[in-house]
Amino acid sequence: MDTQQGAPRIVVGVDGSPSSRAALRWAVRYAGLVAGRVEAVTAWEIPGEASWSAPAVDATFDEEDAERLLVEEVSSVLGDDGASLVHERLVHGHPVEVLVDTAEGADMLVVGSRGRGGFRRAMLGSVSQQVALHAPCPVTIVRPDVPVD
């Protein structure tokens, strides 16, 4: 993707939820229309690590494994050809902060309407709401695809 310097930069949040899969597909389609480049970002943090005490240690978290899972998620959603158009990034930090920071200088930030957490009845997830309020660029919030029966 680095060969496309100057091309519109589209950042998309990926967390494995149906909404983020739809957001990833939308971001790649949009990038195709504007000759842009897509950066898929997954944020990770250890629960409780934001406290004032010593940082929490999660012996089960493997960053290399998480990076591999991100690449596999992008490939499973887009296929190998589509995945080749995407640059994947795994970033340590709270999802809202990571997405807002990564979107600095981007032309568009794309997120799913609902991620892995939260209440089922909520129209928007807390991450999508906060990103929409604080992003430094336009934000597109994508609802999950409607299942075909």
Side-chain angles (χ1 to χ4, degrees):
M1 298 306 306
D2 294 330
T3 60
Q4 293 183 343
Q5 293 298 336
R9 182 171 153 253
I10 294 93
V11 174
V12 59
V14 176
D15 70 2
S17 67
S19 236
S20 85
R21 290 182 188 117
L24 179 59
R25 284 189 291 273
W26 191 96
V28 169
R29 281 190 300 259
Y30 178 74
L33 294 172
V34 298
R37 54 192 173 108
V38 176
E39 190 173 326
V41 178
T42 293
W44 69 273
E45 66 178 347
I46 299 168
E49 81 177 338
S51 69
W52 58 269
S53 63
V57 175
D58 184 355
T60 63
F61 183 79
D62 181 339
E63 192 167 348
E64 287 180 14
D65 191 41
E67 287 175 349
R68 180 184 53 76
L69 290 172
L70 172 58
V71 170
E72 287 176 3
E73 174 73 5
V74 169
S75 184
S76 80
V77 171
L78 302 173
D80 291 336
D81 289 341
S84 69
L85 304 172
V86 177
H87 174 72
E88 298 93 353
R89 288 188 55 209
L90 178 70
V91 181
H92 178 252
H94 186 274
V96 173
E97 292 171 8
V98 166
L99 290 170
V100 168
D101 289 347
T102 303
E104 190 67 43
D107 295 277
M108 175 78 65
L109 174 59
V110 183
V111 293
S113 61
R114 298 239 340 106
R116 291 197 169 277
F119 300 100
R120 279 205 157 296
R121 291 182 298 234
M123 294 299 286
L124 290 177
S126 61
V127 170
S128 59
Q129 284 181 323
Q130 290 302 306
V131 164
L133 292 173
H134 301 289
C137 65
V139 176
T140 297
I141 300 173
V142 181
R143 294 186 52 184
D145 293 336
V146 177
V148 178
D149 291 337

